[in-house]
């Protein structure tokens, strides 16, 4: 069995929240090479999206493996140390603990992992996003695995026709449910249409009995109890041979759909699919970005990556993102650009509510006397 782990963290922004400094990337790559040489990893690749470093790794230790998570933690500690030397912004902001404790759950870094028997041809897409939250994957996963207008294989591929099972997390109540689609599709949409709370964690083929997709579901504000930056999720999608084709898995991103995040993690903005060289949001910390790295996995080796959004076919989505960003920015501090108050719990809203509590008074039925009346 091969395990593919994608583990990410923001350990310091260059400049502001826009990018990762080249020296941090070089440090992470050195650590990956050491881990390969020692036999800990079969293979590894380092990539960035915005101010996040992502470690894409193959190994044989399974999901939630302490050795792998400890390696990622130590790597992020090393890049944090360097970020502090360089005076980078928010150095180590995703590392919410002082010491590693078994695995990364609840410690800040986000991760998505899949363990699988390698097929003769194993095409995999690794999606990395910046300036948004884990629920940003809900819409594309629905379209990839449950919407025949996006994925024709749901209709014409007999291995896909039975549908897929979606594991959904309730991040507020720390519970999960599995929806059997297409039978449960309308029920599922009621929940995943609220991506701030309900997040698709994984998708499994009912016919093949294999996991097809996995996402990171860590919410930093829910872990820390305060706003410490947006979650910047990652996602793994296996493709072909009874699963969505590569083109079907990429198709949802031809639409610059709205996600939560952007400036101070407190605004709706369009998600822009970009090549890795353009994954550096700057205008109002946006628009939020997503990159797609394509690999063929053979004997655990990562053959690639291919920069899948480095394609003029996505120029329309990029133009649309710019237009939608212009439209939303004109709203200033008003909804629907700004998030609703219940999603601003970990910003100034809590302290503001306490500070102004004594100034709120009951609404009475008494009519004020007009001036001069």
């Amino acid at each position: 069995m091969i395990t593919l782990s994608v583990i990410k963290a923001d350990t310091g922004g260059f400049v502001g929240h826009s990018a990762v400094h080249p020296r941090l990337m070089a440090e992470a790559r050195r650590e990956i090479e050491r881990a390969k040489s020692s036999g800990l990893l079969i293979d590894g690749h380092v990539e960035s999206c915005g101010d996040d470093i992502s470690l894409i790794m193959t190994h044989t230790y399974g999901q939630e493996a302490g050795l792998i998570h400890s390696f990622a933690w130590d790597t992020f500690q090393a890049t944090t140390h360097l970020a502090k030397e360089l005076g980078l912004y928010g150095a180590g902001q995703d590392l919410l603990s002082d010491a590693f404790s078994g695995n990364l759950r609840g410690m800040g870094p986000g991760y998505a992992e899949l363990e699988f028997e390698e097929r003769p041809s194993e095409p995999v897409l690794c999606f990395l996003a910046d300036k948004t939250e884990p629920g940003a994957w809900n819409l594309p996963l629905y379209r990839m695995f449950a919407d025949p207008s996006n994925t024709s294989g749901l209709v014409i591929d007999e291995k896909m026709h039975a549908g897929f099972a979606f594991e959904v997390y309730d991040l507020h109540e720390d519970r999960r449910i599995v929806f059997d689609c297409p039978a449960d599709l309308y029920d599922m949409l009621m929940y995943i249409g609220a991506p701030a709370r309900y997040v698709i964690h994984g998708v499994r083929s009912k016919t093949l009995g294999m996991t097809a997709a996995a996402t990171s579901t860590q919410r930093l504000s829910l872990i820390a109890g305060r706003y410490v930056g947006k979650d910047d999720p990652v996602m793994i999608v296996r493709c072909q041979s009874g699963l969505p084709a590569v083109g079907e898995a990429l198709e949802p991103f031809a639409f610059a759909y709205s996600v939560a995040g952007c400036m101070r993690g407190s605004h709706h903005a369009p998600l822009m699919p970009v090549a890795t060289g353009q994954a550096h949001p700057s205008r109002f910390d946006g628009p939020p970005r997503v990159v797609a790295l394509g690999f063929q996995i053979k004997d655990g080796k990562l053959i690639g990556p291919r920069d899948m959004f480095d394609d003029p076919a996505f120029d329309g989505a990029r133009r649309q993102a710019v237009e939608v960003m212009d439209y939303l920015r004109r709203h200033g501090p008003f909804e629907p650009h700004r998030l609703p108050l219940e999603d601003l719990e970990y910003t100034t809203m809590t302290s503001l509510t306490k500070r102004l509590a004594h100034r709120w008074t009951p609404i009475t039925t008494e009519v004020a006397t007009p001036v001069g009346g």
Side-chain angles (χ1 to χ4, degrees):
M1 297 281 278
I2 295 295
T3 304
L4 175 60
S5 298
V6 181
I7 305 180
K8 54 71 56 180
D10 176 357
T11 60
F14 171 69
V15 171
H17 287 295
S18 62
V20 177
H21 193 279
R23 287 182 59 186
L24 272 64
M25 295 293 289
E27 178 68 21
R29 291 186 178 112
R30 280 192 292 270
E31 293 298 328
I32 287 285
E33 290 303 316
R34 291 190 189 105
K36 289 164 59 178
S37 297
S38 72
L40 178 67
L41 301 179
I42 301 173
D43 206 354
H45 177 77
V46 179
E47 194 54 75
S48 66
C49 184
D51 53 0
D52 293 278
I53 299 172
S54 288
L55 310 177
I56 301 171
M57 304 169 286
T58 54
H59 55 90
T60 59
Y61 294 96
Q63 298 176 198
E64 305 267 352
L67 283 172
I68 301 301
H69 285 205
S70 177
F71 162 73
W73 179 262
D74 290 344
T75 299
F76 294 141
Q77 290 278 21
T79 57
T80 294
H81 178 75
L82 186 54
K84 289 178 179 178
E85 286 185 0
L86 295 169
L88 301 184
Y89 188 76
Q93 74 169 32
D94 281 5
L95 307 185
L96 303 181
S97 177
D98 294 327
F100 183 75
S101 58
N103 64 42
L104 291 173
R105 184 171 300 186
M107 298 187 69
Y111 57 93
E113 298 180 295
L114 278 181
E115 185 178 20
F116 53 87
E117 291 284 356
E118 197 177 289
R119 299 172 290 173
S121 180
E122 189 65 61
V124 173
L125 298 174
C126 295
F127 294 92
L128 319 175
D130 185 49
K131 302 299 182 286
T132 187
E133 61 186 5
W137 303 133
N138 284 9
L139 186 148
L141 283 172
Y142 153 67
R143 289 191 168 160
M144 289 177 208
F145 292 97
D147 183 359
S149 67
N150 179 91
T151 302
S152 60
L154 292 166
V155 176
I156 63 179
D157 185 337
E158 63 180 359
K159 293 179 181 177
M160 298 177 66
H161 198 76
F164 293 84
F166 290 73
E167 183 183 20
V168 175
Y169 281 11
D170 177 349
L171 299 183
H172 288 191
E173 298 293 335
D174 197 25
R175 57 183 182 169
R176 72 181 76 188
I177 187 172
V178 176
F179 290 102
D180 184 348
C181 292
D184 292 339
L185 180 58
Y186 293 169
D187 294 339
M188 182 178 76
L189 287 171
M190 179 62 76
Y191 290 94
I192 67 170
R197 175 169 177 175
Y198 298 99
V199 174
I200 298 172
H201 177 65
V203 182
R204 189 171 182 83
S205 166
K206 294 193 292 183
T207 298
L208 301 176
M210 64 171 61
T211 303
T215 74
S216 60
T217 55
Q218 294 76 25
R219 285 287 303 273
L220 287 170
S221 61
L222 296 180
I223 296 170
R226 66 188 190 281
Y227 181 71
V228 291
K230 216 55 185 167
D231 312 288
D232 306 332
V234 294
M235 174 170 67
I236 303 169
V237 178
R238 300 170 71 193
C239 299
Q240 309 288 159
S241 303
L243 303 176
V246 169
E248 291 171 330
L250 295 172
E251 178 65 15
F253 298 95
F255 166 55
Y257 61 94
S258 178
V259 297
C262 204
M263 176 58 68
R264 306 182 189 278
S266 302
H267 296 79
H268 286 117
L271 186 64
M272 178 186 282
V274 294
T276 56
Q278 297 295 321
H280 312 300
S282 55
R283 180 195 176 184
F284 204 66
D285 279 0
R289 306 297 161 93
V290 57
V291 301
L293 302 179
F295 295 93
Q296 293 286 155
I297 299 179
K298 182 63 176 176
D299 298 327
K301 294 290 186 179
L302 294 167
I303 313 302
R306 273 211 65 228
D307 194 347
M308 305 303 289
F309 290 146
D310 187 9
D311 179 351
F314 291 96
D315 285 350
R318 293 188 267 268
R319 288 192 298 269
Q320 184 181 53
V322 172
E323 292 171 3
V324 172
M325 191 71 175
D326 284 341
Y327 168 78
L328 288 171
R329 284 299 303 128
R330 289 187 174 93
H331 289 79
F334 290 86
E335 298 178 24
H337 186 28
R338 195 191 72 183
L339 298 185
L341 291 181
E342 59 267 24
D343 293 332
L344 298 179
E345 180 180 357
Y346 294 105
T347 61
T348 59
M349 190 59 203
T350 301
S351 59
L352 186 65
T353 299
K354 292 178 180 177
R355 182 163 61 83
L356 298 181
H358 70 285
R359 293 175 56 183
W360 288 92
T361 59
I363 297 174
T364 67
T365 57
E366 182 177 328
V367 179
T369 303
V371 175

